[in-house]
Amino acid sequence: MAVIVALGAFLMTLAGGWAAQRVTDRRHLVLGLAGGLMLGVVGLDLLPEALHAAGDEVFGVPLALLLFVGGFLVAHVVERLLAVRQAAHGAEDGTRVPQVGLTAAAAMVGHSLADGVALGAAFQVGGGMGVAVALAVITHDFADGFNTYTLTRLYGNDRRKALLMLFADAVAPVVGAASTLLFTLPEEPLGAYLGFFGGVLLYLAAAEILPEAHHKHPALSTLMCTVGGVAGIWLVVGIAD
């Protein structure tokens, strides 16, 4: 059942990527919406789940929050190192590094894989839990597909690479759900991963996507897309609960 439901997540991810492609003439709106979706996923979905699952504290701070900050810093350091390396090879200052986009998209694929594992584990607990998690996974995988394609293209990668990462992101929850037929991932490592990934995602949204969205088109419509993205994730989380 978990694998069958994961096929729905596969289709929703592809639908999100398709939507991101179709609105290329309104790129600032796409980026504004993507930033809002990512902010909503981090603050309203990933962090609460991470805090619940990875409950240990280190020097009075929840492990999930330490990894969240660590993920933010790692994303910043990696981007700076890649930018310095590209500048050393003659790239113009301010040029976006394609490898950053691919790395960010790969992180989205890893998140979708974890979604599939969570989906399979929920159905192992019981049908009711499985349905609740399935609703959350399927609905927010639209945002995952949207963000995966947008991130890959934002950093200068060609359409073929963006579609490849989109397809990998779509397949990931199916693979994750199927893997639970063989084993079950402990809750604590999953929570730790979600905290770290949330930090990475927040950095990309706050430092890259939202500034890019509002740089050339500081319009009210762009801002409303960002707010709408956050509100949409809040609605998904509320329905899932």
Side-chain angles (χ1 to χ4, degrees), residues 55-87:
D56 294 339
E57 291 190 355
V58 180
F59 289 103
V61 179
L63 176 61
L65 288 183
L66 285 176
L67 289 170
F68 171 77
V69 174
F72 188 99
L73 292 175
V74 166
H76 177 60
V77 169
V78 168
E79 186 191 38
R80 289 297 90 204
L81 289 176
L82 289 173
V84 169
R85 179 182 177 185
Q86 182 150 317

PDB file of all heavy atoms in Angstrom, residues 55-87:
ATOM      1  N   GLY A  55      14.856  14.156  19.818  1.00  0.00           N
ATOM      2  CA  GLY A  55      14.551  14.865  21.053  1.00  0.00           C
ATOM      3  C   GLY A  55      15.727  15.127  21.966  1.00  0.00           C
ATOM      4  O   GLY A  55      15.591  15.833  22.961  1.00  0.00           O
ATOM      5  N   ASP A  56      16.895  14.566  21.702  1.00  0.00           N
ATOM      6  CA  ASP A  56      18.040  14.753  22.584  1.00  0.00           C
ATOM      7  C   ASP A  56      18.519  16.200  22.569  1.00  0.00           C
ATOM      8  O   ASP A  56      18.370  16.914  21.579  1.00  0.00           O
ATOM      9  CB  ASP A  56      19.196  13.841  22.161  1.00  0.00           C
ATOM     10  CG  ASP A  56      18.847  12.364  22.350  1.00  0.00           C
ATOM     11  OD1 ASP A  56      17.934  12.085  23.151  1.00  0.00           O
ATOM     12  OD2 ASP A  56      19.474  11.521  21.693  1.00  0.00           O
ATOM     13  N   GLU A  57      19.120  16.615  23.692  1.00  0.00           N
ATOM     14  CA  GLU A  57      19.701  17.952  23.795  1.00  0.00           C
ATOM     15  C   GLU A  57      21.211  17.851  23.942  1.00  0.00           C
ATOM     16  O   GLU A  57      21.734  16.905  24.523  1.00  0.00           O
ATOM     17  CB  GLU A  57      19.115  18.718  24.989  1.00  0.00           C
ATOM     18  CG  GLU A  57      17.651  19.086  24.810  1.00  0.00           C
ATOM     19  CD  GLU A  57      17.171  20.041  25.895  1.00  0.00           C
ATOM     20  OE1 GLU A  57      17.961  20.328  26.829  1.00  0.00           O
ATOM     21  OE2 GLU A  57      16.030  20.515  25.795  1.00  0.00           O
ATOM     22  N   VAL A  58      21.910  18.839  23.406  1.00  0.00           N
ATOM     23  CA  VAL A  58      23.357  18.946  23.537  1.00  0.00           C
ATOM     24  C   VAL A  58      23.668  20.304  24.149  1.00  0.00           C
ATOM     25  O   VAL A  58      23.410  21.335  23.520  1.00  0.00           O
ATOM     26  CB  VAL A  58      24.055  18.793  22.162  1.00  0.00           C
ATOM     27  CG1 VAL A  58      25.567  18.912  22.336  1.00  0.00           C
ATOM     28  CG2 VAL A  58      23.694  17.463  21.520  1.00  0.00           C
ATOM     29  N   PHE A  59      24.148  20.308  25.394  1.00  0.00           N
ATOM     30  CA  PHE A  59      24.403  21.548  26.122  1.00  0.00           C
ATOM     31  C   PHE A  59      23.172  22.439  26.138  1.00  0.00           C
ATOM     32  O   PHE A  59      23.251  23.652  25.911  1.00  0.00           O
ATOM     33  CB  PHE A  59      25.605  22.295  25.538  1.00  0.00           C
ATOM     34  CG  PHE A  59      26.923  21.619  25.808  1.00  0.00           C
ATOM     35  CD1 PHE A  59      27.554  20.910  24.809  1.00  0.00           C
ATOM     36  CD2 PHE A  59      27.519  21.681  27.068  1.00  0.00           C
ATOM     37  CE1 PHE A  59      28.763  20.271  25.047  1.00  0.00           C
ATOM     38  CE2 PHE A  59      28.718  21.044  27.314  1.00  0.00           C
ATOM     39  CZ  PHE A  59      29.352  20.336  26.309  1.00  0.00           C
ATOM     40  N   GLY A  60      22.040  21.835  26.416  1.00  0.00           N
ATOM     41  CA  GLY A  60      20.804  22.588  26.593  1.00  0.00           C
ATOM     42  C   GLY A  60      20.084  22.985  25.332  1.00  0.00           C
ATOM     43  O   GLY A  60      19.040  23.633  25.397  1.00  0.00           O
ATOM     44  N   VAL A  61      20.612  22.591  24.151  1.00  0.00           N
ATOM     45  CA  VAL A  61      19.978  22.937  22.875  1.00  0.00           C
ATOM     46  C   VAL A  61      19.541  21.654  22.181  1.00  0.00           C
ATOM     47  O   VAL A  61      20.327  20.709  22.078  1.00  0.00           O
ATOM     48  CB  VAL A  61      20.948  23.712  21.961  1.00  0.00           C
ATOM     49  CG1 VAL A  61      20.275  24.042  20.633  1.00  0.00           C
ATOM     50  CG2 VAL A  61      21.415  24.987  22.643  1.00  0.00           C
ATOM     51  N   PRO A  62      18.293  21.577  21.713  1.00  0.00           N
ATOM     52  CA  PRO A  62      17.849  20.364  20.999  1.00  0.00           C
ATOM     53  C   PRO A  62      18.771  20.041  19.825  1.00  0.00           C
ATOM     54  O   PRO A  62      19.190  20.938  19.087  1.00  0.00           O
ATOM     55  CB  PRO A  62      16.442  20.741  20.515  1.00  0.00           C
ATOM     56  CG  PRO A  62      15.973  21.777  21.485  1.00  0.00           C
ATOM     57  CD  PRO A  62      17.206  22.559  21.851  1.00  0.00           C
ATOM     58  N   LEU A  63      19.072  18.759  19.673  1.00  0.00           N
ATOM     59  CA  LEU A  63      19.971  18.331  18.601  1.00  0.00           C
ATOM     60  C   LEU A  63      19.468  18.772  17.236  1.00  0.00           C
ATOM     61  O   LEU A  63      20.258  19.159  16.369  1.00  0.00           O
ATOM     62  CB  LEU A  63      20.104  16.795  18.640  1.00  0.00           C
ATOM     63  CG  LEU A  63      20.942  16.162  17.521  1.00  0.00           C
ATOM     64  CD1 LEU A  63      22.378  16.674  17.569  1.00  0.00           C
ATOM     65  CD2 LEU A  63      20.895  14.642  17.616  1.00  0.00           C
ATOM     66  N   ALA A  64      18.157  18.720  17.037  1.00  0.00           N
ATOM     67  CA  ALA A  64      17.591  19.100  15.743  1.00  0.00           C
ATOM     68  C   ALA A  64      17.914  20.559  15.403  1.00  0.00           C
ATOM     69  O   ALA A  64      18.207  20.887  14.252  1.00  0.00           O
ATOM     70  CB  ALA A  64      16.082  18.876  15.735  1.00  0.00           C
ATOM     71  N   LEU A  65      17.879  21.446  16.416  1.00  0.00           N
ATOM     72  CA  LEU A  65      18.176  22.856  16.168  1.00  0.00           C
ATOM     73  C   LEU A  65      19.661  23.072  15.895  1.00  0.00           C
ATOM     74  O   LEU A  65      20.032  23.909  15.058  1.00  0.00           O
ATOM     75  CB  LEU A  65      17.731  23.707  17.359  1.00  0.00           C
ATOM     76  CG  LEU A  65      16.223  23.882  17.534  1.00  0.00           C
ATOM     77  CD1 LEU A  65      15.923  24.799  18.712  1.00  0.00           C
ATOM     78  CD2 LEU A  65      15.588  24.441  16.267  1.00  0.00           C
ATOM     79  N   LEU A  66      20.525  22.321  16.583  1.00  0.00           N
ATOM     80  CA  LEU A  66      21.957  22.429  16.302  1.00  0.00           C
ATOM     81  C   LEU A  66      22.255  22.014  14.864  1.00  0.00           C
ATOM     82  O   LEU A  66      23.029  22.675  14.158  1.00  0.00           O
ATOM     83  CB  LEU A  66      22.745  21.538  17.270  1.00  0.00           C
ATOM     84  CG  LEU A  66      22.887  22.046  18.709  1.00  0.00           C
ATOM     85  CD1 LEU A  66      23.602  21.002  19.555  1.00  0.00           C
ATOM     86  CD2 LEU A  66      23.633  23.371  18.754  1.00  0.00           C
ATOM     87  N   LEU A  67      21.628  20.933  14.429  1.00  0.00           N
ATOM     88  CA  LEU A  67      21.837  20.472  13.055  1.00  0.00           C
ATOM     89  C   LEU A  67      21.196  21.426  12.054  1.00  0.00           C
ATOM     90  O   LEU A  67      21.696  21.587  10.933  1.00  0.00           O
ATOM     91  CB  LEU A  67      21.273  19.065  12.889  1.00  0.00           C
ATOM     92  CG  LEU A  67      22.078  17.984  13.615  1.00  0.00           C
ATOM     93  CD1 LEU A  67      21.331  16.660  13.600  1.00  0.00           C
ATOM     94  CD2 LEU A  67      23.456  17.824  12.994  1.00  0.00           C
ATOM     95  N   PHE A  68      20.109  22.067  12.449  1.00  0.00           N
ATOM     96  CA  PHE A  68      19.473  23.076  11.600  1.00  0.00           C
ATOM     97  C   PHE A  68      20.446  24.224  11.327  1.00  0.00           C
ATOM     98  O   PHE A  68      20.654  24.629  10.176  1.00  0.00           O
ATOM     99  CB  PHE A  68      18.207  23.587  12.289  1.00  0.00           C
ATOM    100  CG  PHE A  68      17.568  24.770  11.619  1.00  0.00           C
ATOM    101  CD1 PHE A  68      16.815  24.603  10.467  1.00  0.00           C
ATOM    102  CD2 PHE A  68      17.707  26.039  12.146  1.00  0.00           C
ATOM    103  CE1 PHE A  68      16.225  25.693   9.838  1.00  0.00           C
ATOM    104  CE2 PHE A  68      17.110  27.133  11.533  1.00  0.00           C
ATOM    105  CZ  PHE A  68      16.367  26.945  10.379  1.00  0.00           C
ATOM    106  N   VAL A  69      21.066  24.738  12.392  1.00  0.00           N
ATOM    107  CA  VAL A  69      22.060  25.801  12.237  1.00  0.00           C
ATOM    108  C   VAL A  69      23.262  25.293  11.454  1.00  0.00           C
ATOM    109  O   VAL A  69      23.818  25.992  10.592  1.00  0.00           O
ATOM    110  CB  VAL A  69      22.499  26.328  13.619  1.00  0.00           C
ATOM    111  CG1 VAL A  69      23.635  27.337  13.474  1.00  0.00           C
ATOM    112  CG2 VAL A  69      21.321  26.970  14.342  1.00  0.00           C
ATOM    113  N   GLY A  70      23.664  24.046  11.730  1.00  0.00           N
ATOM    114  CA  GLY A  70      24.778  23.458  10.997  1.00  0.00           C
ATOM    115  C   GLY A  70      24.490  23.349   9.512  1.00  0.00           C
ATOM    116  O   GLY A  70      25.355  23.621   8.683  1.00  0.00           O
ATOM    117  N   GLY A  71      23.273  22.946   9.164  1.00  0.00           N
ATOM    118  CA  GLY A  71      22.895  22.852   7.757  1.00  0.00           C
ATOM    119  C   GLY A  71      22.942  24.199   7.064  1.00  0.00           C
ATOM    120  O   GLY A  71      23.406  24.315   5.924  1.00  0.00           O
ATOM    121  N   PHE A  72      22.474  25.241   7.769  1.00  0.00           N
ATOM    122  CA  PHE A  72      22.519  26.597   7.214  1.00  0.00           C
ATOM    123  C   PHE A  72      23.966  27.011   6.941  1.00  0.00           C
ATOM    124  O   PHE A  72      24.296  27.527   5.860  1.00  0.00           O
ATOM    125  CB  PHE A  72      21.859  27.558   8.207  1.00  0.00           C
ATOM    126  CG  PHE A  72      21.660  28.952   7.688  1.00  0.00           C
ATOM    127  CD1 PHE A  72      20.430  29.340   7.192  1.00  0.00           C
ATOM    128  CD2 PHE A  72      22.693  29.880   7.700  1.00  0.00           C
ATOM    129  CE1 PHE A  72      20.220  30.638   6.718  1.00  0.00           C
ATOM    130  CE2 PHE A  72      22.503  31.171   7.230  1.00  0.00           C
ATOM    131  CZ  PHE A  72      21.262  31.542   6.727  1.00  0.00           C
ATOM    132  N   LEU A  73      24.846  26.759   7.924  1.00  0.00           N
ATOM    133  CA  LEU A  73      26.253  27.151   7.774  1.00  0.00           C
ATOM    134  C   LEU A  73      26.953  26.337   6.693  1.00  0.00           C
ATOM    135  O   LEU A  73      27.760  26.876   5.925  1.00  0.00           O
ATOM    136  CB  LEU A  73      26.983  26.989   9.112  1.00  0.00           C
ATOM    137  CG  LEU A  73      26.570  27.962  10.224  1.00  0.00           C
ATOM    138  CD1 LEU A  73      27.286  27.615  11.524  1.00  0.00           C
ATOM    139  CD2 LEU A  73      26.870  29.406   9.822  1.00  0.00           C
ATOM    140  N   VAL A  74      26.668  25.052   6.624  1.00  0.00           N
ATOM    141  CA  VAL A  74      27.285  24.212   5.601  1.00  0.00           C
ATOM    142  C   VAL A  74      26.893  24.690   4.211  1.00  0.00           C
ATOM    143  O   VAL A  74      27.730  24.782   3.302  1.00  0.00           O
ATOM    144  CB  VAL A  74      26.889  22.732   5.798  1.00  0.00           C
ATOM    145  CG1 VAL A  74      27.238  21.903   4.557  1.00  0.00           C
ATOM    146  CG2 VAL A  74      27.602  22.152   7.013  1.00  0.00           C
ATOM    147  N   ALA A  75      25.612  25.017   4.022  1.00  0.00           N
ATOM    148  CA  ALA A  75      25.164  25.512   2.719  1.00  0.00           C
ATOM    149  C   ALA A  75      25.889  26.805   2.356  1.00  0.00           C
ATOM    150  O   ALA A  75      26.305  27.008   1.205  1.00  0.00           O
ATOM    151  CB  ALA A  75      23.651  25.737   2.741  1.00  0.00           C
ATOM    152  N   HIS A  76      26.054  27.685   3.350  1.00  0.00           N
ATOM    153  CA  HIS A  76      26.742  28.958   3.097  1.00  0.00           C
ATOM    154  C   HIS A  76      28.214  28.725   2.746  1.00  0.00           C
ATOM    155  O   HIS A  76      28.742  29.309   1.782  1.00  0.00           O
ATOM    156  CB  HIS A  76      26.630  29.843   4.335  1.00  0.00           C
ATOM    157  CG  HIS A  76      27.364  31.144   4.226  1.00  0.00           C
ATOM    158  ND1 HIS A  76      27.080  32.079   3.262  1.00  0.00           N
ATOM    159  CD2 HIS A  76      28.388  31.646   4.958  1.00  0.00           C
ATOM    160  CE1 HIS A  76      27.881  33.118   3.402  1.00  0.00           C
ATOM    161  NE2 HIS A  76      28.692  32.874   4.424  1.00  0.00           N
ATOM    162  N   VAL A  77      28.875  27.862   3.516  1.00  0.00           N
ATOM    163  CA  VAL A  77      30.301  27.603   3.278  1.00  0.00           C
ATOM    164  C   VAL A  77      30.516  26.948   1.915  1.00  0.00           C
ATOM    165  O   VAL A  77      31.422  27.336   1.161  1.00  0.00           O
ATOM    166  CB  VAL A  77      30.879  26.717   4.401  1.00  0.00           C
ATOM    167  CG1 VAL A  77      32.273  26.216   4.036  1.00  0.00           C
ATOM    168  CG2 VAL A  77      30.918  27.483   5.716  1.00  0.00           C
ATOM    169  N   VAL A  78      29.679  25.959   1.589  1.00  0.00           N
ATOM    170  CA  VAL A  78      29.823  25.269   0.304  1.00  0.00           C
ATOM    171  C   VAL A  78      29.644  26.238  -0.853  1.00  0.00           C
ATOM    172  O   VAL A  78      30.417  26.238  -1.816  1.00  0.00           O
ATOM    173  CB  VAL A  78      28.818  24.107   0.197  1.00  0.00           C
ATOM    174  CG1 VAL A  78      28.758  23.579  -1.234  1.00  0.00           C
ATOM    175  CG2 VAL A  78      29.217  22.983   1.140  1.00  0.00           C
ATOM    176  N   GLU A  79      28.629  27.093  -0.753  1.00  0.00           N
ATOM    177  CA  GLU A  79      28.396  28.049  -1.841  1.00  0.00           C
ATOM    178  C   GLU A  79      29.560  29.016  -1.981  1.00  0.00           C
ATOM    179  O   GLU A  79      30.005  29.318  -3.090  1.00  0.00           O
ATOM    180  CB  GLU A  79      27.107  28.829  -1.595  1.00  0.00           C
ATOM    181  CG  GLU A  79      26.767  29.728  -2.769  1.00  0.00           C
ATOM    182  CD  GLU A  79      25.653  30.696  -2.463  1.00  0.00           C
ATOM    183  OE1 GLU A  79      25.602  31.202  -1.329  1.00  0.00           O
ATOM    184  OE2 GLU A  79      24.857  30.950  -3.360  1.00  0.00           O
ATOM    185  N   ARG A  80      30.101  29.489  -0.858  1.00  0.00           N
ATOM    186  CA  ARG A  80      31.225  30.427  -0.918  1.00  0.00           C
ATOM    187  C   ARG A  80      32.471  29.753  -1.500  1.00  0.00           C
ATOM    188  O   ARG A  80      33.197  30.358  -2.294  1.00  0.00           O
ATOM    189  CB  ARG A  80      31.536  30.970   0.479  1.00  0.00           C
ATOM    190  CG  ARG A  80      30.499  31.931   1.048  1.00  0.00           C
ATOM    191  CD  ARG A  80      30.397  33.185   0.217  1.00  0.00           C
ATOM    192  NE  ARG A  80      29.405  33.060  -0.862  1.00  0.00           N
ATOM    193  CZ  ARG A  80      29.411  33.749  -1.955  1.00  0.00           C
ATOM    194  NH1 ARG A  80      30.373  34.622  -2.191  1.00  0.00           N
ATOM    195  NH2 ARG A  80      28.483  33.583  -2.871  1.00  0.00           N
ATOM    196  N   LEU A  81      32.737  28.522  -1.102  1.00  0.00           N
ATOM    197  CA  LEU A  81      33.908  27.819  -1.618  1.00  0.00           C
ATOM    198  C   LEU A  81      33.790  27.590  -3.124  1.00  0.00           C
ATOM    199  O   LEU A  81      34.762  27.763  -3.868  1.00  0.00           O
ATOM    200  CB  LEU A  81      34.079  26.477  -0.895  1.00  0.00           C
ATOM    201  CG  LEU A  81      34.540  26.560   0.567  1.00  0.00           C
ATOM    202  CD1 LEU A  81      34.582  25.165   1.183  1.00  0.00           C
ATOM    203  CD2 LEU A  81      35.905  27.238   0.668  1.00  0.00           C
ATOM    204  N   LEU A  82      32.598  27.203  -3.570  1.00  0.00           N
ATOM    205  CA  LEU A  82      32.402  26.989  -4.996  1.00  0.00           C
ATOM    206  C   LEU A  82      32.504  28.297  -5.776  1.00  0.00           C
ATOM    207  O   LEU A  82      33.045  28.337  -6.880  1.00  0.00           O
ATOM    208  CB  LEU A  82      31.048  26.321  -5.252  1.00  0.00           C
ATOM    209  CG  LEU A  82      30.927  24.857  -4.821  1.00  0.00           C
ATOM    210  CD1 LEU A  82      29.498  24.369  -4.974  1.00  0.00           C
ATOM    211  CD2 LEU A  82      31.872  23.974  -5.640  1.00  0.00           C
ATOM    212  N   ALA A  83      31.987  29.377  -5.178  1.00  0.00           N
ATOM    213  CA  ALA A  83      32.065  30.673  -5.841  1.00  0.00           C
ATOM    214  C   ALA A  83      33.518  31.142  -5.956  1.00  0.00           C
ATOM    215  O   ALA A  83      33.928  31.677  -6.987  1.00  0.00           O
ATOM    216  CB  ALA A  83      31.234  31.696  -5.069  1.00  0.00           C
ATOM    217  N   VAL A  84      34.301  30.939  -4.897  1.00  0.00           N
ATOM    218  CA  VAL A  84      35.716  31.316  -4.931  1.00  0.00           C
ATOM    219  C   VAL A  84      36.461  30.500  -5.981  1.00  0.00           C
ATOM    220  O   VAL A  84      37.282  31.017  -6.742  1.00  0.00           O
ATOM    221  CB  VAL A  84      36.353  31.114  -3.542  1.00  0.00           C
ATOM    222  CG1 VAL A  84      37.872  31.239  -3.628  1.00  0.00           C
ATOM    223  CG2 VAL A  84      35.806  32.137  -2.555  1.00  0.00           C
ATOM    224  N   ARG A  85      36.141  29.213  -6.031  1.00  0.00           N
ATOM    225  CA  ARG A  85      36.804  28.349  -7.019  1.00  0.00           C
ATOM    226  C   ARG A  85      36.472  28.794  -8.436  1.00  0.00           C
ATOM    227  O   ARG A  85      37.345  28.843  -9.311  1.00  0.00           O
ATOM    228  CB  ARG A  85      36.357  26.909  -6.792  1.00  0.00           C
ATOM    229  CG  ARG A  85      36.970  25.926  -7.782  1.00  0.00           C
ATOM    230  CD  ARG A  85      36.447  24.527  -7.515  1.00  0.00           C
ATOM    231  NE  ARG A  85      36.962  23.583  -8.507  1.00  0.00           N
ATOM    232  CZ  ARG A  85      36.597  22.311  -8.581  1.00  0.00           C
ATOM    233  NH1 ARG A  85      35.736  21.821  -7.720  1.00  0.00           N
ATOM    234  NH2 ARG A  85      37.097  21.532  -9.517  1.00  0.00           N
ATOM    235  N   GLN A  86      35.204  29.137  -8.661  1.00  0.00           N
ATOM    236  CA  GLN A  86      34.819  29.558 -10.012  1.00  0.00           C
ATOM    237  C   GLN A  86      35.450  30.895 -10.374  1.00  0.00           C
ATOM    238  O   GLN A  86      35.870  31.119 -11.512  1.00  0.00           O
ATOM    239  CB  GLN A  86      33.293  29.647 -10.106  1.00  0.00           C
ATOM    240  CG  GLN A  86      32.799  30.034 -11.500  1.00  0.00           C
ATOM    241  CD  GLN A  86      31.441  29.446 -11.793  1.00  0.00           C
ATOM    242  OE1 GLN A  86      31.171  28.297 -11.493  1.00  0.00           O
ATOM    243  NE2 GLN A  86      30.570  30.244 -12.384  1.00  0.00           N
ATOM    244  N   ALA A  87      35.551  31.787  -9.389  1.00  0.00           N
ATOM    245  CA  ALA A  87      36.179  33.085  -9.631  1.00  0.00           C
ATOM    246  C   ALA A  87      37.653  32.907  -9.982  1.00  0.00           C
ATOM    247  O   ALA A  87      38.204  33.638 -10.812  1.00  0.00           O
ATOM    248  CB  ALA A  87      36.038  33.974  -8.399  1.00  0.00           C
TER     249      ALA A  87
END
